[in-house]
């Protein structure tokens, strides 16, 4: 199975900050990576697929990059509604696997 | 509006069975793979299973193989998860989601609690 490791596991930031979350795969997955946002007590929401492609309706302050084993999710200017937990997910091979999550909290 | 609504969760004893349902609306259900993902309390996301449009291909995470069965009824725009021989570690919110590998959207989830 491909292991997905996210860092940091949590971070504190202020509105307007630029933040970056890292996701590392235990083996190469090309660009077969997605990012999801989950708010407390809510279902996850798809943000990015193919490592860098924004889902329809996702604000342009979100961006994704990377290929192979190392990936990043960047929020260019954090907004109040962005405080949530973020998960990466590989779909290079079964079983599909998720990272452990990164909780973004208000400083 | 695309919508997925799960149902069928509840409290069940270890070794028991439960059948989850997910009703889809707002899109052509028969055109899409469908997926189940679960989340144990306070934990991260775990992919459980998915099923091809016509039901001819199904994939499972190892921990549920032989115990869980995914199925679908395209006439009723629904996907199901039959869960047998349930264990305490199956306790989680179970989400259905549209798609095979990139999942969008997700339902609101249904809680399954396995406890005596």
């Amino acid at each position: 199975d491909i292991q997905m490791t996210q860092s940091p596991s949590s971070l504190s930031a202020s509105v307007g900050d630029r933040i970056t979350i890292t996701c590392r795969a235990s083996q190469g997955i090309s660009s077969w990576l997605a990012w999801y946002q989950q708010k407390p007590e809510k279902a996850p929401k798809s943000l990015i697929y193919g490592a860098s492609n924004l889902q329809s309706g996702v604000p342009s302050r979100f961006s994704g990059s990377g290929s192979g084993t190392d990936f990043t999710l960047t929020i260019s200017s954090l907004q109040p509604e962005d405080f949530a937990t973020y998960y990466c997910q590989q779909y290079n091979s079964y079983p599909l696997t998720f990272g452990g999550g990164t909780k973004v909290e208000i400083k | 509006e695309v919508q997925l609504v799960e149902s069928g969760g509840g409290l069940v004893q270890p070794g028991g069975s439960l059948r989850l349902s997910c009703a889809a609306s707002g899109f052509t259900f028969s055109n899409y793979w469908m997926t189940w993902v679960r989340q144990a309390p306070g934990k991260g996301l775990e992919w459980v299973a998915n099923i091809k449009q016509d039901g001819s291909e199904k994939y499972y995470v190892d921990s549920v193989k032989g115990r869980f069965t995914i199925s679908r009824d395209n006439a009723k725009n629904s996907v199901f998860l039959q869960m047998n021989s349930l264990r305490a570690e199956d306790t989680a919110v179970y989400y259905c989601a549209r798609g095979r590998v990139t999942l969008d959207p997700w339902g609101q989830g249904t809680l399954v609690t396995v406890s005596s």
Side-chain angles (χ1 to χ4, degrees):
Chain A
D1 298 2
I2 298 175
Q3 309 303 317
M4 305 301 293
T5 303
Q6 285 183 237
S7 61
S9 56
S10 66
L11 66 89
S12 295
S14 301
V15 173
D17 285 352
R18 177 185 180 92
I19 68 163
T20 297
I21 297 168
T22 296
C23 178
R24 176 164 289 175
S26 60
Q27 63 189 75
I29 59 170
S30 186
S31 295
W32 305 122
L33 185 98
W35 289 96
Y36 300 88
Q37 175 194 65
Q38 186 179 33
K39 297 181 180 179
E41 309 305 319
K42 297 292 187 183
K45 172 188 172 184
S46 177
L47 296 176
I48 287 171
Y49 63 95
S52 61
N53 301 292
L54 257 60
Q55 285 283 6
S56 175
V58 173
S60 59
R61 63 180 180 273
F62 291 90
S63 64
S65 65
S67 66
T69 60
D70 295 319
F71 302 86
T72 59
L73 172 70
T74 299
I75 307 176
S76 60
S77 178
L78 206 58
Q79 298 302 300
E81 60 268 30
D82 300 337
F83 292 95
T85 300
Y86 294 84
Y87 294 93
C88 62
Q89 175 230 326
Q90 67 81 21
Y91 51 97
N92 180 79
S93 62
Y94 286 112
L96 309 184
T97 48
F98 291 86
T102 296
K103 186 174 184 179
V104 178
E105 299 176 299
I106 301 172
K107 183 182 286 185
Chain B
E1 178 195 5
V2 175
Q3 194 170 14
L4 299 170
V5 179
E6 301 94 335
S7 60
L11 175 64
V12 61
Q13 292 188 339
S17 298
L18 215 52
R19 186 186 193 224
L20 306 184
S21 300
C22 171
S25 60
F27 65 99
T28 304
F29 180 75
S30 58
N31 286 354
Y32 290 87
W33 282 71
M34 295 297 294
T35 294
W36 287 96
V37 175
R38 66 184 178 183
Q39 186 170 36
K43 302 298 184 182
L45 302 169
E46 181 183 35
W47 172 81
V48 174
N50 62 11
I51 184 169
K52 194 177 180 179
Q53 290 91 328
D54 62 358
S56 61
E57 293 183 35
K58 306 174 185 181
Y59 299 91
Y60 300 90
V61 67
D62 280 352
S63 60
V64 308
K65 282 180 184 174
R67 300 189 299 122
F68 290 12
T69 301
I70 189 171
S71 62
R72 64 191 295 160
D73 184 338
N74 287 342
K76 295 184 178 179
N77 291 341
S78 294
V79 61
F80 309 100
L81 189 66
Q82 177 66 43
M83 304 186 296
N84 298 331
S85 303
L86 282 161
R87 307 166 180 166
E89 54 265 36
D90 296 318
T91 293
V93 174
Y94 285 73
Y95 297 99
C96 71
R98 184 179 68 174
R100 181 176 70 88
V101 288
T102 57
L103 309 176
D104 178 61
W106 299 51
Q108 87 288 348
T110 188
L111 176 63
V112 172
T113 303
V114 184
S115 174
S116 55

